[in-house]
Amino acid sequence: MAAPDSIALQQIQDTFTPEQKEYLAGFLLAVAKRGPTFFAGHTADGHITSDPATGIPNAAAAPAQETWFGTPIDEICKEERWKLEENPLDMWDRLLAHANENRFPEGADVFRFKYHGLFYVAPAQDSFMLRLRTPGCMMTSHQLRGLAEMAGDWGAGEAHVTTRGNLQIRQFQPKDIVNVLMKVQSLGLSSRGAGADNIRNITATPTSGFDPTELFDVTPMAQALNFYIQNSRDLYGLPRKFNVAFDSGGAVSVVADTNDIAFIATRVPEGRSVPAGVYFRAQLCGITGHRQFASDCGLLLTPDQTVAVAAAMIRVFNQNGDRTDRRKARLKYLVDKWGIDKFLEETEKLLTFPLVHVSLDECEPRPAVDQVGHLGVHPQRQLGLYYIGVTLPVGRITATQMRTVAEIAEKHGSSEVRLTVWQNLILPNIRTEDVPAVRQALAAARLSDSASTFAAGAVACTGNQGCKYSATNTKAHAMELAGFLDERFKIQQPVNLHVTGCPHSCAQHYIGDIGMLGTKVGGEEGYQVLIGGGSDDRQGLGRELIPAIRFSDLPPVMERFFQAFEQQRRDGESFLAFSRRHGIAELRAMIYAGEQA
C-alpha cells in the first residue's frame, strides 16, 4: 500500500498539464543527480546537528567543484590548465637547465617560456626570439648600445622595432638564454610578460614631453602602469593578451584606438558641466584583427586617475574574462557579454573614487594627426631644440646602426631614444646647430629621416622567416614592393603599406592605406589586398580590393593603380581620400585596366 505522502503527491501531479509534468520530471532528475540535501555538522561542544542555520560547515555535503577564476576546472582551455599546473614565472631552475643542456623547450614549456619574453619560433627558425618591454616606447643610449652588444654576441646581429614600440632580437640559442636575460636586467630593462597572456608593452605618444601641440606628457603614465604591473604578480596570466596606450593629444599618433584600453588627452573648454581643463577620455575594446576599433565609453578622468582606472579595468578583465575559449578571451568579448555599463560598474567597485560620466560632446575634438610627424626634422616645444624621426623600413636595424644611434643620442641629444608603433625611432633634444651633423651621421650609417617614400611607410610583421603562423615572407615582400614603387613614383605624401602574414594581424593590415594579408595562392606566397584603412581621425577598416594574388604578380598591378592615382586624383587629394572616393568596382577597374577584372 502506498504511503499517504506518495498518494498526495500523485494526486497533485494528476492536476498538472503535460508541460508542467515535463518540467517537474526534469527538476526531479536534476535533484536526483545532485542527491538529496542533508545536513550534518559538528558544533563547538562536540555535538552533531542537522540544522544548516547554525552556519557551521556541512560535513555531509559533497566537496565543492574546483574552479579556476570561477570557471570549473574541467571547462578551462589547455593554456589555462598549464598556468594552473605551474605559474610560468616559477621556472627559473628549468631555464637554467635548458641553458646548461643547450635544449629547446617542448609542450607546455614553449608557452611558459613566453612569460620570460623567450619565443621558440621553430619551425620558422630553430632558435629563440627575445621580446623586450620598453614602457612609453622610451630607451636610453646606454640600453640601446647594450642590446646591440647582445644581438652581436648571441643573436642575429640586428633588432626589429615592433608595432608596439618595443624591440625584438632573434636567433638566440638555448645555451645563451640565461646570459641574455641577465644582460637585459643589467641594462635596467625587462622581458617579463612580453608574450603570452600578459599585458603587452605599454605604449605612449612617442613625441610626448616635447611635442609643441600636446595637451599632457603621458610618458610618466606609461611608466607608472608598467611599474604597477611589475609589482602585481597576479596580473601575469590574464585570459589573453591585453594592450594599453596613452595618447598625449598632440600631433603624433600612438594608434590608441587599436588598444583594449586607450587614454586620450582632451580639453574641456569653459562653460561645460565640469571645470575647464585637461582631462582624459577612455576608449575600450580596440582589436582590429577582429575588425573593431576602440570606442569612447563615456568617462572623463583627471590625469591622476588614469593609472588607477587602468589597473582596475585590467583586474575586472582578469577575474571575469573567458578562460574556456581563447577565441573569445579578449576584453571585447567580456564587454559584448556584459555591456559597457556593467563593466564600468565592476570597475568602480575596485576604486576609492567615483567614475565621472561626461558626454564626449563637452570636450574639444582631438586635433588631426600629422601622418609624417614621427619622421623627419621637427621643432620641439623647447626653444632651440628639434627631434628627428628616423626611418627604419619594416623596423629592421643592425647592431652597428644601433651603436651609431646611441652615439648620436649621447653626442648631440639627451641620451634618449624613442621607438614608435610605426616601426621607426626618434632622436629628441637635438640642438638647432647640430641638426645637419646628425643627418649626416645618420646617412653615413645608411639611415634616413625621409618621409616621402613608400619604404618610410612600410610596416611588416615578422613573417615566415621567424614566425610559424605566417604564410609569407612579409618583411622581404614589403621592402621589395616599396622599393619597386619608389623607383617609379615620387608621391610627396605618406602612403602606409601594412603587410601581415596571418590573421593575427600583428602588422594591423586593416588600418593601412594599403593592407596585405598573407596567404597561399596556387602553392605560392601571395596576399589578400585591402585598401583605404586608417586610424585616429582617418579611422576606417580597409576594404578588400584583391581577394588573392601571387606576390610575384602584385608589383605591376600596384604600378597600374598608382598610375591611375596620379592621373585621376584631384588637386591636393591624398591617396586615402582618393581610395575612399571610389567604389571597389572602380578601383578594380583601374588595376585591371586592359585585363578581365
Side-chain angles (χ1 to χ4, degrees):
M1 181 175 179
D5 286 348
S6 299
I7 295 173
L9 179 60
Q10 184 62 49
Q11 289 173 341
I12 293 172
Q13 288 177 333
D14 289 343
T15 66
F16 288 169
T17 65
E19 291 80 7
Q20 290 171 324
K21 289 180 179 179
E22 182 177 354
Y23 172 81
L24 181 61
F27 175 77
L28 293 175
L29 178 61
V31 170
K33 286 184 176 180
R34 292 195 302 267
T37 302
F38 295 102
F39 188 92
H42 294 261
T43 64
D45 60 6
H47 291 85
I48 300 175
T49 178
S50 64
D51 181 9
T54 58
I56 60 178
N58 183 8
Q65 186 175 14
E66 188 179 1
T67 62
W68 174 246
F69 289 93
T71 302
I73 295 298
D74 59 1
E75 295 181 15
I76 62 176
C77 62
K78 68 174 187 273
E79 290 84 358
E80 293 298 324
R81 191 173 298 278
W82 292 339
K83 290 185 283 188
L84 172 62
E85 291 169 354
E86 180 185 21
N87 189 315
L89 300 181
D90 297 333
M91 59 181 306
W92 183 251
D93 288 347
R94 282 218 302 291
L95 291 174
L96 289 171
H98 278 267
N100 289 335
E101 300 167 19
N102 198 30
R103 176 167 54 90
F104 288 108
E106 297 177 345
D109 277 352
V110 174
F111 175 77
R112 295 188 181 108
F113 269 52
K114 295 177 184 179
Y115 278 69
H116 300 267
L118 292 167
F119 293 71
Y120 178 38
V121 294
Q125 291 175 340
D126 199 27
S127 60
F128 284 107
M129 176 269 284
L130 175 78
R131 181 184 295 156
L132 295 164
R133 298 182 73 89
T134 54
C137 308
M138 301 170 62
M139 297 187 70
T140 67
S141 57
H142 169 70
Q143 291 169 336
L144 188 62
R145 183 179 286 105
L147 294 175
E149 292 173 359
M150 187 172 74
D153 291 344
W154 301 308
E158 63 181 19
H160 297 255
V161 181
T162 78
T163 54
R164 289 210 63 77
N166 60 355
L167 283 176
Q168 294 181 168
I169 304 176
R170 297 186 165 272
Q171 296 188 33
F172 294 116
Q173 293 302 304
K175 62 185 176 64
D176 296 319
I177 59 175
V178 171
N179 291 329
V180 165
L181 294 178
M182 296 296 284
K183 178 77 170 182
V184 168
Q185 292 185 41
S186 73
L187 293 170
L189 292 168
S190 174
S191 61
R192 177 172 286 196
D197 300 344
N198 288 285
I199 304 156
R200 300 299 174 82
N201 192 49
I202 310 299
T203 60
T205 302
T207 53
S208 194
F210 49 84
D211 180 349
T213 66
E214 74 179 5
L215 297 179
F216 201 91
D217 182 357
V218 294
T219 51
M221 295 175 172
Q223 296 281 347
L225 182 57
N226 184 69
F227 287 135
Y228 180 85
I229 295 164
Q230 287 184 331
N231 288 289
S232 302
R233 179 181 168 89
D234 62 306
L235 292 184
Y236 289 88
L238 306 181
R240 280 300 297 272
K241 72 174 182 179
F242 203 93
N243 293 329
V244 184
F246 292 90
D247 187 313
S248 70
V252 175
S253 170
V254 70
V255 198
D257 51 9
T258 65
N259 287 259
D260 293 283
I261 305 175
F263 297 96
I264 303 173
T266 187
R267 188 184 300 279
V268 175
E270 297 286 351
R272 304 301 166 91
S273 64
V274 295
V278 173
Y279 296 85
F280 280 80
R281 303 295 305 192
Q283 293 185 350
L284 299 178
C285 304
I287 177 171
T288 52
H290 294 222
R291 302 180 65 87
Q292 180 169 308
F293 287 101
S295 58
D296 188 88
C297 68
L299 296 183
L300 189 70
L301 306 172
T302 58
D304 62 292
Q305 293 174 333
T306 55
V307 175
V309 169
M313 287 179 169
I314 293 167
R315 288 190 176 279
V316 170
F317 170 67
N318 192 34
Q319 291 297 322
N320 299 282
D322 192 328
R323 294 180 183 268
T324 66
D325 183 354
R326 292 177 69 79
R327 295 169 300 178
K328 303 291 184 181
R330 294 291 295 272
L331 177 65
K332 160 187 163 55
Y333 297 102
L334 176 62
V335 173
D336 284 349
K337 175 183 175 182
W338 278 3
I340 288 287
D341 290 344
K342 181 176 179 180
F343 179 76
L344 295 181
E345 287 171 6
E346 294 300 313
T347 298
E348 193 168 24
K349 290 177 182 178
L350 300 181
L351 298 167
T352 61
F353 53 86
L355 293 175
V356 176
H357 299 256
V358 175
S359 171
L360 183 60
D361 295 337
E362 297 203 44
C363 304
E364 293 179 351
R366 192 201 187 289
V369 168
D370 181 356
Q371 279 186 267
V372 295
H374 62 288
L375 294 172
V377 181
H378 300 268
Q380 296 184 185
R381 74 181 189 196
Q382 295 85 1
L383 188 64
L385 295 180
Y386 287 78
Y387 72 86
I388 300 179
V390 181
T391 301
L392 302 178
V394 298
R396 183 178 289 131
I397 181 170
T398 68
T400 299
Q401 290 171 329
M402 292 164 72
R403 286 189 285 268
T404 297
V405 169
E407 181 179 347
I408 293 171
E410 290 173 349
K411 183 177 180 180
H412 300 289
S414 54
S415 296
E416 184 180 342
V417 178
R418 301 285 181 95
L419 306 177
T420 83
V421 298
W422 304 105
Q423 296 185 306
N424 298 309
L425 64 83
I426 290 172
L427 290 167
N429 303 314
I430 307 297
R431 294 181 299 275
T432 304
E433 60 270 23
D434 289 344
V435 169
V438 171
R439 299 188 73 186
Q440 185 177 358
L442 290 171
R446 304 188 69 179
L447 293 170
S448 168
D449 58 36
S450 173
S452 301
T453 65
F454 288 91
V459 175
C461 70
T462 298
N464 60 15
Q465 298 303 293
C467 177
K468 66 180 179 181
Y469 299 110
S470 180
T472 56
N473 189 349
T474 54
K475 287 186 181 287
H477 289 160
M479 289 306 301
E480 182 177 340
L481 181 59
F484 176 87
L485 295 173
D486 276 329
E487 287 179 1
R488 288 158 177 79
F489 302 97
K490 301 300 178 186
I491 298 176
Q492 298 302 313
Q493 61 170 284
V495 177
N496 293 321
L497 174 66
H498 288 241
V499 186
T500 200
C502 79
H504 290 146
S505 192
C506 293
Q508 300 178 320
H509 65 291
Y510 279 117
I511 66 168
D513 290 314
I514 299 172
M516 294 164 54
L517 172 62
T519 186
K520 295 295 184 184
V521 181
E524 295 184 30
E525 295 186 9
Y527 292 90
Q528 175 195 45
V529 180
L530 294 88
I531 193 78
S535 63
D536 301 301
D537 54 315
R538 305 163 66 248
Q539 188 180 100
L541 294 170
R543 298 172 293 162
E544 183 182 87
L545 179 66
I546 304 174
I549 184 172
R550 290 188 297 266
F551 178 74
S552 57
D553 296 332
L554 185 58
V557 171
M558 287 291 101
E559 182 178 17
R560 289 195 294 272
F561 193 11
F562 280 95
Q563 286 172 342
F565 168 61
E566 287 193 325
Q567 294 166 3
Q568 301 179 33
R569 64 184 294 201
R570 296 170 177 169
D571 288 344
E573 186 175 33
S574 70
F575 178 79
L576 179 65
F578 175 83
S579 66
R580 289 181 176 176
R581 178 165 61 86
H582 293 87
I584 288 296
E586 295 176 285
L587 296 173
R588 287 175 178 166
M590 297 174 194
I591 63 176
Y592 292 116
E595 299 180 14
Q596 180 66 37

